[in-house]
Amino acid sequence: VHVVTVNDYLARRDAEWVGQPLRFLGLTVGVIQGGMAPEQRKKAYRCDVTYVTNSELGFDYLRDQMAPSPGDLCLRERDPFQFAVVDEVDSILIDEARTPLIISGTASSNPEKYEVAREVAKALRKRVHYKVDEKARNCVLIEEGVVAAEKLVNKDDLFDPQDPWFPFIVNALNAKELYVKDKQYIVKKKEVMIVDEFTGRVMEGRRWSNGLHQAIEAKEGAKIQAESVTLASISYQSLFRLFNKLGGMTGTAFTEAKEFDQIYKLKTVVVPANRDRKREDLDDQVYVDDIGKWKAVARDVERFHSVGRPVLIGTTNVENSEIIAELLDALGVPYQLLNAKPENVARETEIIAASGRKYAVTIATNMAGRGTDILLGGNCSMMARMQLREKLYVELFPMKRAAWIMPEGFYPVDLSESVMTKVEEAVRTTISRWKPSVSEKPTSLDAAARIVDSELTELEVEERLSLACEKAPTEDETVKLLRSVYQLILAEFKDFTDLEKQEVVALGGLYVVGTERHESRRIDNQLRGRCARQGDPGDTRFFLSLNDSIFRIFGGESIKNMMGMLSLSRSDDTPLESGLLSNSLEEAQKKVENYFYSVRKNVFEYDDVMDTQRQIVYGLRRQALIDDDESIRKTMREFSDRNMDDFVDGNINESKPLTDWNLEKLAENVCIYCDQLKKSVTAEALVEAAGSGGPAGKESLKNFLRKAAVEAFDEKIETIEASGKGLSGLVTRQVLLMQLDNFWQQHLKNMDFMKTGVTLRAYGQKNPLTEYKLEGYQVFLKMMSRVRRNAVYNLFLFTPRKLKPLTADRLEELIPDRQTRRRQLQQLQAMKKQAPEWARDSQAETDGKKLSTVNLARLALNVRQLLRAREELGELALAGFGELRDSFSRAGLLTLGDQLRWAKSCADFELLEDDSGQEIYVGFRSRTVSMPAGEGQSKLELADEKAAEEAVQNALNDEDFMQTIDDYTQSPEAFLQKMKESAEQEGWTPEDVRRLRGMYKASGVDIDVMLAEMDEASENLPPAQQEVVKYMKELLATDSGTEAPVKKELEEKVKL
């Protein structure tokens, strides 16, 4: 069972609360959170009940459709979708269904074009060169704009397919007019991050497609990242229809009952309220302009705050939340701000916990989507939990101390001395049990492993603390101890919050202020529903302006005329009251609802065409991924039969006489497809197989070719299997997966292009959707035909190659002398200068790079990470030199000789070549350790290597360190002086020498070999560098070391 929620907080909360009775009944409960490791995800999805957000579920499903091996699947291998219960079902299945889920890969990058387009967009004028369609969220270039843009970019045609500028300029205009900072996105650390329009949260890792995100990055002066290409996509409608059983709950579904029935085949049932509702929805206050509205909101909030009544102000975006915050600052009203900005998101739990307290004022963006209750008087259980968490986390995670300490006045009352003493004792006991002692160093591998295993993550501690703050049965003594002090804290807090709740109820409960109508009445009702929960009192009121988007975009002519008249007859501070206005507002919201329903329906109808194709491709892919080898071979034989049928159908017309059949051409095409068939498939053999022609002859030809192709296939399988047991299954599987992925990605691109163009068919009195279905079906048939043909064709082309280590003699043969290498480098640089302009631009980054130890260190780390990743995936930990070409170029290694010399100098890399001598590979050298230290020493050495790698990686990411490296590169004298100071003043021991060698090794350099080579070529080195080499050789030869009067930590010395 999948329980689907709108955000990570609700998924975790519900797994904690509802998980207790489920676990008591013997069921396993898992929860998926953003940023979880793949192994944790797999474990959670295999539980009986899994709590997960809609986006995490969708992206995990799409990632599974791109998995390279069965071990990479997150969801269950077979029938992963059985039953789904969707919380806030209208938010997930209605609101978020307008936008499909897309996984993208990087494509080409044109940062210069986006920057030029930004300047063009600045020069173009609204209504003169382009129109803005706020409803469709798109800018349209008119004829004058096209002419002006062509002059600005100095091009004759913006639509030139070889050098298109039109999409770049339109995206720049959209970024300029329709995407506003702190509304649709925020900028964090020079990175543009999307704000979810329904929840108000930042959407980590999500990007707009089709170049829009890059256009916004150019607008904000952020680094322009590479463009994206769609790898996999699915709409929420198609995703949730995969479940055999689907259901959900929400407080505001009835207005969308028709859509639930039409799209998802779900009936909507109204459940009576638990307690009578005491909420009063006050009349809307409508003002002529925004200034009057914001002043009225601020005055209203100040009035209720002065008597102590808690107020919640709901805004639609970050910008509006900061406008009202500035007005309250001017009035001296204290408040808490909850919006998408990171500094505010981090405090969400504490802000919500205290929002119902007396005198509390909370400003929140999209409060309706947060799914959290505001308790009058304050949430005593949450505050008690946070008090215990603060005491515990400050000790467990001291590096984040500031994040755990709550602001002054957050807790309703100071704990009594006796309770505080018990809390501190419980925390000390818990720390001693959960956190390893750092004063003792491990004396064995087992001791080291125990320390590593006992290091807790924040998520794990959160889970244990959650268990302690609930009532679920447990045998863990530490959890029981924490639970006892939690109950003591809760009791003291509850006495105070219960009294405060009575005062707040007497004041009228929570007062909710809406600052703008949403696109749907349903979302307005969700905001109103933040107050008057479970029979509590509460009031709500919306403050509106005639400039609000719902009036401006959907209001129609009557609203526009009224705006003109009323703006002249009313002052800014006077609210408008009119039956016509109220009716117009309701009509505008209905228009919005109908418009977005048509958008969702359009997404659904077009994706429904893709859904059938998606199920076929994903079904075949999963079959290739998890079926046994014989099943895969059976599928490939079926492909072979279909391919032969296609050859015959494409070359033979049975209605013509046999003499007109071009059997020679047929034989030639078949033999190009499969070289192994040249002996058996000849024109003479085909003439014999065709008999007297006609339909019977054509069928006979097909049977003959099918049999010949299957025999060739089986023979090829035997040849591959002879090179290694199980190799044929692995190769067949990978070939099929590769072809499916490549052609499916291209198919997605083609279908997306077709969807864009097919809308123009409406001008020809044709239904675009029908045309899309018909043409999409034909394109899909061609795509599947190519998959079948290429899968079998590539299998026939595959030739197993055996790898052998590169011997010293072979290396000497491949590495030319210094003069030859220099001549090769000069030739390469000359070729680059003669390359076309576009090629030189793409190489500009590497042209300016010099061969340096820093670049080689980066290269070694990158290659090592690549090999380790493949090792962890169960793949061969090898990388071909052809695959590493770009990495070599970035490091300044442009010739094969330089590349081989670098790999040879890396202590932990081994070089291999295939038996044909066509490719060279780099892999890990076998890690063997001499006895009697045994296996333990081997693992400890690997741990040391990893620590050294991390230290080098951190150094390379340190801008100050890199600047120091640059300075020393320019001045070997300064480097020598610093080295001497470090060694002579601080002491230099054999342990230092070992660590220094380890750091160089982590950088991909054997320091002894490098110094020996430099010593041999010392006549080519400047005198200062010769001194550096000589001094370093002396240091590395140190056996006993020198002791200095003052000793620093080893790590600090090595860093120096």
Side-chain angles (χ1 to χ4, degrees):
V1 176
H2 292 84
V3 182
V4 185
T5 64
V6 291
N7 58 55
D8 280 347
Y9 165 76
L10 290 179
R12 186 173 66 251
R13 184 201 71 180
D14 292 350
E16 293 166 2
W17 289 1
V18 187
Q20 296 177 58
L22 295 176
R23 291 188 186 96
F24 181 76
L25 294 170
L27 299 175
T28 55
V29 178
V31 60
I32 301 291
Q33 297 281 278
M36 257 189 174
E39 287 303 317
Q40 292 175 301
R41 288 175 180 270
K42 289 171 70 172
K43 184 178 178 182
Y45 277 123
R46 279 151 186 77
C47 291
D48 297 318
V49 181
T50 304
Y51 288 83
V52 60
T53 64
N54 51 308
S55 59
E56 290 292 335
L57 177 65
F59 284 123
D60 282 337
Y61 171 73
L62 291 178
R63 277 189 286 265
D64 273 8
Q65 310 314 316
M66 300 163 60
S69 65
D72 294 310
L73 292 174
C74 270
L75 298 165
R76 300 187 185 206
E77 286 81 2
R78 299 189 184 276
D79 298 324
F81 296 132
Q82 293 296 328
F83 196 101
V85 180
V86 184
D87 184 26
E88 304 289 351
V89 67
D90 57 332
S91 176
I92 293 173
L93 299 189
I94 303 294
D95 295 334
E96 299 203 28
R98 297 206 308 257
T99 309
L101 295 169
I102 297 174
I103 287 185
S104 301
T106 55
S108 59
S109 179
N110 293 298
E112 299 85 4
K113 277 196 169 185
Y114 286 106
E115 290 168 355
V116 172
R118 173 193 62 203
E119 299 306 316
V120 172
K122 287 180 180 178
L124 298 180
R125 293 289 172 260
K126 185 177 176 181
R127 289 187 291 274
V128 176
H129 299 111
Y130 62 91
K131 296 179 180 177
V132 179
D133 185 347
E134 288 191 72
K135 186 187 294 187
R137 296 195 64 76
N138 191 34
C139 290
V140 181
L141 265 181
I142 57 179
E143 188 174 348
E144 290 81 357
V146 173
V147 172
E150 287 174 345
K151 287 181 181 178
L152 288 167
V153 298
N154 196 24
K155 294 288 179 182
D156 294 332
D157 184 5
L158 293 182
F159 304 89
D160 180 2
Q162 301 302 319
D163 187 21
W165 276 92
F166 181 75
F168 292 93
I169 293 171
V170 169
N171 275 327
L173 291 172
N174 288 338
K176 171 187 172 183
E177 296 288 351
L178 297 167
Y179 291 83
V180 181
K181 183 180 176 182
D182 292 339
K183 282 189 177 181
Q184 285 81 19
Y185 65 90
I186 63 169
V187 179
K188 175 185 175 185
K189 296 181 179 177
K190 296 185 178 180
E191 183 180 353
V192 174
M193 308 186 81
I194 302 174
V195 175
D196 190 329
E197 62 180 306
F198 301 109
T199 66
R201 288 181 170 84
V202 170
M203 302 167 78
E204 298 277 355
R206 303 280 285 274
R207 294 176 64 80
W208 284 296
S209 58
N210 299 323
L212 176 59
H213 209 100
Q214 286 79 4
I216 295 174
E217 286 170 336
K219 168 189 167 185
E220 294 296 338
K223 181 182 177 182
I224 300 174
Q225 300 184 28
E227 295 172 22
S228 59
V229 57
T230 300
L231 303 180
S233 71
I234 192 171
S235 67
Y236 277 121
Q237 293 99 325
S238 296
L239 175 68
F240 282 98
R241 290 194 309 159
L242 293 173
F243 284 96
N244 294 331
K245 295 285 184 181
L246 178 64
M249 290 190 71
T250 182
T252 51
F254 196 66
T255 57
E256 312 296 338
K258 177 183 175 183
E259 188 169 348
F260 280 120
D261 185 36
Q262 288 184 348
I263 305 295
Y264 302 100
K265 308 299 183 220
L266 296 175
K267 301 297 180 185
T268 305
V269 178
V270 177
V271 179
N274 180 38
R275 296 181 181 176
D276 292 338
R277 195 187 80 181
K278 297 181 181 178
R279 186 183 79 221
E280 184 177 352
D281 297 326
L282 304 175
D283 292 336
D284 295 345
Q285 296 280 315
V286 184
Y287 292 82
V288 172
D289 58 19
D290 291 335
I291 296 174
K293 178 180 77 171
W294 293 119
K295 286 181 179 178
V297 170
R299 285 196 301 270
D300 212 35
V301 171
E302 183 187 31
R303 178 165 59 90
F304 284 111
H305 172 72
S306 64
V307 297
R309 188 175 182 183
V311 180
L312 171 67
I313 307 168
T315 65
T316 55
N317 54 58
V318 176
E319 184 182 46
N320 288 348
S321 68
E322 294 185 338
I323 289 174
I324 189 63
E326 289 179 9
L327 289 172
L328 294 180
D329 282 335
L331 293 172
V333 176
Y335 59 86
Q336 294 292 334
L337 182 61
L338 179 56
N339 59 27
K341 291 199 171 178
E343 62 270 22
N344 298 321
V345 170
R347 299 174 51 243
E348 177 172 349
T349 306
E350 66 184 74
I351 291 173
I352 297 299
S355 292
R357 294 190 61 190
K358 199 173 178 183
Y359 293 104
V361 175
T362 307
I363 306 169
T365 55
N366 296 81
M367 192 64 211
R370 295 185 183 271
T372 49
D373 279 357
I374 295 175
L375 302 184
L376 301 186
N379 190 332
C380 59
S381 59
M382 182 61 73
M383 289 189 283
R385 175 172 168 171
M386 295 186 76
Q387 172 92 75
L388 184 57
R389 189 183 76 166
E390 177 183 315
K391 299 291 183 185
L392 194 59
Y393 279 35
V394 163
E395 299 297 330
L396 282 174
F397 310 109
M399 298 297 289
K400 291 186 176 181
R401 180 183 180 88
W404 311 126
I405 297 179
M406 293 296 105
E408 186 177 351
F410 172 74
Y411 299 114
V413 64
D414 292 334
L415 294 177
S416 63
E417 192 172 330
S418 60
V419 171
M420 182 60 79
T421 302
K422 291 179 181 179
V423 170
E424 291 173 349
E425 288 176 359
V427 168
R428 281 196 296 270
T429 304
T430 301
I431 297 296
S432 66
R433 293 175 182 175
W434 285 1
K435 189 175 182 180
S437 174
V438 294
S439 60
E440 297 180 10
K441 293 189 175 180
T443 56
S444 68
L445 182 66
D446 291 339
R450 282 197 299 274
I451 288 179
V452 173
D453 291 342
S454 62
E455 286 183 353
L456 293 170
T457 64
E458 291 175 25
L459 186 60
E460 290 169 330
V461 175
E462 187 72 31
E463 289 177 356
R464 296 186 189 185
L465 184 61
S466 298
L467 182 60
C469 296
E470 302 296 344
K471 299 178 181 179
T474 179
E475 299 300 322
D476 189 320
E477 292 300 323
T478 307
V479 171
K480 288 181 179 179
L481 177 63
L482 289 174
R483 182 173 293 175
S484 65
V485 296
Y486 166 76
Q487 294 295 337
L488 293 174
I489 299 172
L490 179 63
E492 293 204 355
F493 283 1
K494 193 172 188 304
D495 289 342
F496 186 89
T497 55
D498 284 351
L499 288 173
E500 192 166 295
K501 179 179 179 179
Q502 293 177 16
E503 295 178 21
V504 172
V505 168
L507 291 169
L510 181 67
Y511 179 56
V512 174
V513 177
T515 57
E516 189 173 339
R517 286 280 192 170
H518 293 78
E519 64 188 35
S520 169
R521 292 165 294 171
R522 177 170 44 79
I523 303 178
D524 291 341
N525 290 337
Q526 288 176 1
L527 178 59
R528 288 189 173 111
R530 294 301 104 197
C531 71
R533 312 280 280 194
Q534 296 295 318
D536 289 336
D539 297 331
T540 69
R541 187 191 291 278
F542 275 85
F543 289 80
L544 310 176
S545 157
L546 291 177
N547 290 329
D548 289 348
S549 59
I550 193 166
F551 285 121
R552 193 176 65 252
I553 301 173
F554 296 96
E557 290 300 321
S558 60
I559 291 288
K560 291 178 183 177
N561 295 334
M562 187 184 305
M563 287 170 64
M565 291 186 294
L566 294 177
S567 61
L568 298 174
S569 60
R570 295 293 183 110
S571 65
D572 292 347
D573 297 342
T574 308
L576 308 176
E577 294 177 6
S578 164
L580 175 60
L581 192 62
S582 301
N583 293 336
S584 298
L585 177 60
E586 190 170 339
E587 287 299 318
Q589 281 195 300
K590 286 180 180 178
K591 284 183 182 178
V592 180
E593 291 170 10
N594 290 334
Y595 172 74
F596 284 119
Y597 170 63
S598 67
V599 171
R600 292 189 296 269
K601 189 177 180 184
N602 190 58
V603 169
F604 167 68
E605 288 175 338
Y606 278 90
D607 191 68
D608 198 38
V609 178
M610 287 296 298
D611 195 45
T612 307
Q613 302 175 6
R614 188 186 295 115
Q615 295 311 311
I616 294 171
V617 172
Y618 286 175
L620 181 58
R621 196 186 191 284
R622 184 158 288 240
Q623 179 185 335
L625 204 61
I626 64 179
D627 279 7
D628 56 49
D629 292 349
E630 187 51 45
S631 297
I632 303 298
R633 284 194 282 268
K634 182 182 177 183
T635 300
M636 293 291 275
R637 290 190 188 100
E638 291 173 1
F639 282 5
S640 177
D641 289 347
R642 294 281 298 276
N643 291 338
M644 292 301 107
D645 291 350
D646 290 345
F647 276 122
V648 174
D649 291 336
N651 288 273
I652 302 300
N653 185 349
E654 71 268 25
S655 63
K656 292 184 177 181
L658 181 62
T659 53
D660 291 343
W661 288 12
N662 195 348
L663 297 177
E664 287 184 2
K665 185 65 174 177
L666 175 59
E668 182 185 342
N669 290 341
V670 170
C671 292
I672 291 173
Y673 161 76
C674 175
D675 196 57
Q676 289 88 332
L677 291 174
K678 281 185 176 179
K679 292 181 180 179
S680 58
V681 179
T682 62
E684 294 77 14
L686 292 180
V687 169
E688 184 179 344
S692 58
K698 185 175 181 179
E699 189 61 34
S700 177
L701 268 180
K702 288 183 178 180
N703 290 332
F704 171 77
L705 289 175
R706 288 174 194 153
K707 182 181 178 183
V710 167
E711 287 174 356
F713 175 82
D714 290 339
E715 184 181 334
K716 184 68 179 181
I717 291 294
E718 290 175 9
T719 303
I720 298 173
E721 193 69 17
S723 299
K725 189 176 181 182
L727 182 59
S728 65
L730 176 65
V731 171
T732 308
R733 195 183 306 273
Q734 290 303 317
V735 165
L736 181 52
L737 289 173
M738 190 185 304
Q739 298 307 316
L740 277 170
D741 290 346
N742 290 342
F743 282 106
W744 178 246
Q745 289 167 20
Q746 184 60 43
H747 181 68
L748 289 175
K749 186 177 179 180
N750 292 340
M751 294 295 285
D752 199 38
F753 182 74
M754 186 192 302
K755 189 197 302 183
T756 305
V758 81
T759 54
L760 300 175
R761 306 280 179 90
Y763 293 108
Q765 305 302 310
K766 293 182 178 180
N767 186 331
L769 180 60
T770 304
E771 296 291 304
Y772 181 74
K773 288 179 180 178
L774 294 173
E775 290 196 21
Y777 178 67
Q778 295 301 321
V779 171
F780 179 70
L781 290 180
K782 290 179 182 177
M783 186 270 292
M784 290 303 295
S785 176
R786 291 192 186 103
V787 169
R788 290 194 301 268
R789 188 164 58 250
N790 280 40
V792 182
Y793 173 73
N794 279 280
L795 185 70
F796 280 129
L797 286 181
F798 176 78
T799 303
R801 293 177 182 172
K802 292 184 179 178
L803 297 181
K804 57 184 180 183
L806 271 177
T807 62
D809 292 341
R810 176 67 173 150
L811 265 174
E812 190 175 344
E813 178 187 333
L814 290 171
I815 299 177
D817 57 40
R818 181 189 293 267
Q819 288 183 345
T820 306
R821 293 200 307 274
R822 284 184 176 175
R823 188 168 61 252
Q824 290 173 344
L825 185 59
Q826 289 169 356
Q827 290 172 350
L828 280 172
Q829 290 170 341
M831 288 171 62
K832 283 186 179 181
K833 288 179 181 178
Q834 295 172 4
E837 185 179 349
W838 61 267
R840 289 203 300 273
D841 289 343
S842 64
Q843 293 164 347
E845 185 182 353
T846 58
D847 282 348
K849 292 210 170 182
K850 296 178 181 178
L851 188 63
S852 70
T853 307
V854 170
N855 290 337
L856 297 182
R858 289 189 195 279
L859 175 62
L861 287 170
N862 292 340
V863 172
R864 196 177 285 110
Q865 289 168 356
L866 172 65
L867 298 182
R868 278 222 184 88
R870 290 180 175 173
E871 210 170 38
E872 289 168 2
L873 290 171
E875 300 175 2
L876 288 173
L878 295 173
F881 269 36
E883 179 186 3
L884 298 173
R885 185 180 294 110
D886 289 343
S887 299
F888 283 145
S889 181
R890 283 192 292 271
L893 299 172
L894 301 179
T895 67
L896 177 62
D898 287 336
Q899 294 161 8
L900 287 170
R901 289 181 73 248
W902 166 79
K904 175 188 171 186
S905 71
C906 294
D908 53 349
F909 289 159
E910 181 178 22
L911 289 168
L912 306 99
E913 68 174 338
D914 58 35
D915 50 11
S916 67
Q918 294 181 2
E919 178 66 299
I920 297 173
Y921 297 86
V922 61
F924 283 128
R925 198 178 296 280
S926 55
R927 294 161 169 166
T928 55
V929 180
S930 59
M931 303 302 279
E935 185 184 356
Q937 183 175 347
S938 151
K939 289 187 177 178
L940 283 172
E941 284 191 1
L942 288 176
D944 284 346
E945 285 180 18
K946 195 165 185 182
E949 281 180 34
E950 289 177 0
V952 172
Q953 185 69 66
N954 291 336
L956 292 174
N957 293 333
D958 186 334
E959 292 182 5
D960 293 335
F961 176 79
M962 294 304 294
Q963 183 59 49
T964 303
I965 289 287
D966 287 341
D967 295 342
Y968 282 148
T969 302
Q970 302 299 323
S971 175
E973 297 87 350
F975 180 50
L976 178 63
Q977 183 64 32
K978 190 67 179 177
M979 227 179 354
K980 285 183 177 180
E981 289 177 7
S982 171
E984 293 169 5
Q985 294 178 13
E986 310 300 339
W988 195 252
T989 68
E991 175 69 7
D992 294 333
V993 173
R994 186 183 72 79
R995 285 176 177 262
L996 181 65
R997 282 196 171 97
M999 293 288 279
Y1000 270 100
K1001 182 181 177 184
S1003 303
V1005 177
D1006 188 323
I1007 184 62
D1008 296 294
V1009 172
M1010 185 179 81
L1011 289 173
E1013 288 185 351
M1014 292 177 75
D1015 200 24
E1016 288 176 13
S1018 60
E1019 68 276 3
N1020 297 321
L1021 299 178
Q1025 212 161 2
Q1026 292 179 26
E1027 288 294 318
V1028 170
V1029 172
K1030 180 181 176 182
Y1031 191 79
M1032 286 193 74
K1033 288 184 73 174
E1034 291 175 6
L1035 285 181
L1036 291 170
T1038 301
D1039 292 320
S1040 58
T1042 59
E1043 294 296 328
V1046 180
K1047 290 281 292 176
K1048 287 188 179 179
E1049 290 292 326
L1050 291 176
E1051 290 81 355
E1052 183 64 20
K1053 287 199 299 181
V1054 173
K1055 180 180 176 184
L1056 286 169

